[in-house]
Amino acid sequence: MKKTFSVLIISMLVLSLSAQEKKVKTGWKFDGGLPAVTFDSDLGFQYGALVEFSNWGDGSKFPEWIDHTYTEISRFTKGSGIYRFMYESKHLIPGVELVSDLSYLPDKANNFFGFNGYESVYNKDWMDDEVTDGSYRSRMFYRLERNQFRFKNDFSGKLTGEHIRWSAGFAFQNFIVKSVDIEKLNKGKDPDKLLPSVETMPGLYEIYKNPALGIISENEADGGWVNTLKAGVIWDSRDNRPNPMKGIWSEIGIEVAPSFMGNDWGFSKMFITHRQYFTLIENDLSLVYRLGYQATISGNAPFFYQTQVITSRLTGATNEGLGGSSTLRGVQRNRVVGDAFFLGNVELRWKPLYFTLFKQDCYLGINLFYDFGKVTKNIALPDNLESNFNDLFKPVPVKGPGDVFSDYFKPGTEKFHMSTGTSIMLAMHQNFVIAVDIGKALNEQDGNIGFSIGLNYLF
């Protein structure tokens, strides 16, 4: 069974609990950084770091910066990684906020659980090499390799009144999708830990793209270019951005992938997000929630793009799901994939401790959360899938408890996927926020416990 170990090293050399006046910053300053030190028995060692810098100008808008950069370089020794540079500016284009992101995201073992939530069966024993009943297939059974290049630019500006803004953007993205490189992942492993090849033990991706089934078509099976244009309207009455205590942030928009941009597919999607923040105890305790809906409204999006969660502003290295640290914490990443979905998050946010660290004003936050979501429109499957599936596996069954249609598909069973958990937040000068999330899926079909370390509040 795969084991993952994470080490987060935060050295606290100066800690003062006495109340102090907030320090106003000016000019460019180093916000903070975080080392990436992990080990995964299949992907290898991860090493690297992320750093943030902000330009505070003359300090008149503190704690709001006028320029901000985020750089992350981290990789696993067997090829996965994050190579990302993000730049934000509130003055480079007069009256316009700009977010520009340039990233390369190789992922040698990206999660793939099929389509339409619970209508695709998840069998954890098929990935567990410690089970003794002979059901184990491969630790990579629910995995594929996906390498993503992304150049994304988001813009927003005042439309009318105090709170209404316009948003727009464009993105060039290339996805390379293929089977997991078993030979590379097997390098250096003990004989009893070797992964079987996809030829002798095909994973779910190999089964889905089999021409006899027709679930994933040949023209999308290997990835391609998805270049998009986006436009929308935003209502923003939050009192601050890093951790709002009151106000509303809502948006509605459309993203299109037109043929004239060199796309391999043409489609459009609409997205709606509503966030609201309520103060329970001034400065210290708040109740917040986020609701989201996304749907394909024309054309057919390729299967590998259905995991992308669209917003007017990219806030992390990835924004995908449902499932994972940015959507349903504790639910396995990309467990819930459909042609339309509904998402909800509710959090109780408490700041019990204020202190000074490295001469910076800091606080410790503790959140309790409840996440939920479901597919509201299925990705269409072939009408004759069951008969084709049984015909495919009847003559040459795959090792395991049996390959029948019900081992993989349970039509009509989709319902809400739910998780709950807690987050620990360490914030420096209100803007640099380290987040540690621990979530528990409430249905074993979604996994068990998820743990992640990253930056910023979820919303």
Side-chain angles (χ1 to χ4, degrees):
M1 189 71 174
K2 180 177 70 175
K3 295 181 176 67
T4 303
F5 305 94
S6 297
V7 179
L8 173 63
I9 304 172
I10 304 175
S11 301
M12 296 185 176
L13 302 179
V14 180
L15 179 62
S16 172
L17 302 182
S18 60
Q20 297 190 15
E21 181 182 356
K22 294 187 183 298
K23 303 175 180 63
V24 174
K25 291 181 174 292
T26 60
W28 280 96
K29 294 290 189 298
F30 171 67
D31 287 342
L34 188 66
V37 184
T38 70
F39 174 75
D40 184 290
S41 61
D42 289 317
L43 302 180
F45 284 97
Q46 183 191 23
Y47 55 92
L50 56 88
V51 294
E52 289 190 295
F53 292 87
S54 292
N55 176 15
W56 309 98
D58 60 7
S60 60
K61 296 184 177 181
F62 184 86
E64 293 282 340
W65 42 257
I66 62 173
D67 294 291
H68 173 246
T69 68
Y70 173 97
T71 304
E72 179 174 357
I73 299 177
S74 63
R75 73 182 304 270
F76 285 92
T77 52
K78 295 191 178 183
S80 295
I82 297 175
Y83 306 88
R84 183 185 183 216
F85 176 76
M86 185 267 290
Y87 169 71
E88 300 177 84
S89 178
K90 298 178 182 177
H91 72 98
L92 188 64
I93 304 174
V96 175
E97 291 190 17
L98 161 68
V99 183
S100 185
D101 175 278
L102 179 64
S103 299
Y104 177 57
L105 308 171
D107 192 336
K108 301 302 180 183
N110 189 263
N111 295 64
F112 179 70
F113 296 101
F115 307 143
N116 309 327
Y118 290 132
E119 296 194 14
S120 290
V121 178
Y122 166 60
N123 190 327
K124 62 182 178 61
D125 290 343
W126 289 358
M127 296 184 69
D128 188 348
D129 60 2
E130 295 180 356
V131 297
T132 58
D133 63 359
S135 59
Y136 168 69
R137 299 187 176 193
S138 171
R139 296 189 301 275
M140 295 292 116
F141 185 83
Y142 293 107
R143 299 287 189 268
L144 53 76
E145 181 173 334
R146 188 195 71 186
N147 302 323
Q148 178 184 359
F149 166 80
R150 180 181 67 214
F151 180 52
K152 181 178 175 62
N153 296 271
D154 297 322
F155 308 87
S156 67
K158 181 178 289 188
L159 184 61
T160 183
E162 183 180 357
H163 302 303
I164 301 178
R165 303 177 62 83
W166 59 266
S167 67
F170 66 90
F172 296 95
Q173 299 183 83
N174 181 253
F175 298 82
I176 299 175
V177 183
K178 54 187 174 180
S179 297
V180 172
D181 188 345
I182 298 297
E183 184 177 352
K184 186 169 187 176
L185 296 187
N186 275 338
K187 287 184 178 179
K189 286 186 178 298
D190 294 332
D192 62 338
K193 289 296 182 180
L194 292 177
L195 295 160
S197 70
V198 296
E199 288 76 25
T200 59
M201 186 60 68
L204 191 65
Y205 168 66
E206 287 73 41
I207 294 171
Y208 268 48
K209 72 173 186 174
N210 190 310
L213 298 181
I215 303 175
I216 294 177
S217 62
E218 184 178 356
N219 76 322
E220 62 180 330
D222 300 326
W225 284 94
V226 179
N227 305 318
T228 58
L229 299 172
K230 182 176 59 181
V233 178
I234 300 171
W235 173 279
D236 187 359
S237 61
R238 297 170 298 171
D239 58 344
N240 71 80
R241 291 190 177 186
N243 179 20
M245 294 297 292
K246 62 181 179 180
I248 292 174
W249 189 95
S250 295
E251 69 171 338
I252 182 170
I254 294 177
E255 181 181 75
V256 298
S259 58
F260 69 80
M261 291 185 69
N263 283 296
D264 298 309
W265 303 269
F267 63 90
S268 63
K269 288 178 175 286
M270 63 95 65
F271 57 97
I272 302 172
T273 305
H274 175 73
R275 309 172 183 171
Q276 194 160 3
Y277 308 84
F278 301 94
T279 299
L280 303 181
I281 299 177
E282 187 175 0
N283 297 321
D284 294 338
L285 184 66
S286 62
L287 177 67
V288 306
Y289 70 89
R290 176 178 70 170
L291 302 175
Y293 175 75
Q294 180 175 308
T296 304
I297 56 177
S298 70
N300 295 294
F303 85 96
F304 55 84
Y305 197 74
Q306 297 282 31
T307 62
Q308 303 298 302
V309 179
I310 305 167
T311 66
S312 61
R313 182 188 184 94
L314 184 67
T315 58
T318 61
N319 195 41
E320 59 182 330
L322 300 179
S325 60
S326 63
T327 53
L328 305 178
R329 292 158 289 186
V331 174
Q332 298 224 50
R333 181 178 56 158
N334 296 340
R335 173 65 180 101
V336 189
V337 177
D339 206 36
F341 65 78
F342 176 77
L343 165 69
N345 311 99
V346 181
E347 291 191 358
L348 186 66
R349 297 176 177 176
W350 180 37
K351 291 181 282 189
L353 181 63
Y354 295 84
F355 57 92
T356 299
L357 174 65
F358 304 133
K359 299 182 180 181
Q360 304 286 341
D361 292 306
C362 305
Y363 69 80
L364 178 71
I366 299 175
N367 303 342
L368 300 178
F369 63 77
Y370 170 69
D371 300 338
F372 54 95
K374 73 184 296 287
V375 172
T376 58
K377 179 185 177 184
N378 284 353
I379 293 174
L381 301 178
D383 293 335
N384 56 350
L385 177 60
E386 184 170 1
S387 61
N388 287 344
F389 188 92
N390 292 332
D391 289 342
L392 176 67
F393 282 102
K394 185 176 180 180
V396 187
V398 175
K399 175 186 175 184
D403 276 291
V404 296
F405 185 78
S406 60
D407 287 335
Y408 294 85
F409 306 98
K410 290 196 179 298
T413 58
E414 174 62 347
K415 58 183 179 180
F416 274 103
H417 304 250
M418 296 176 286
S419 65
T420 187
T422 186
S423 303
I424 300 172
M425 322 296 291
L426 177 62
M428 299 177 65
H429 54 74
Q430 301 187 51
N431 284 279
F432 184 76
V433 182
I434 299 172
V436 180
D437 296 320
I438 303 173
K440 174 71 168 67
L442 301 185
N443 187 320
E444 64 179 10
Q445 274 287 296
D446 291 325
N448 187 15
I449 295 176
F451 174 81
S452 66
I453 299 172
L455 295 183
N456 303 317
Y457 283 85
L458 183 62
F459 57 91

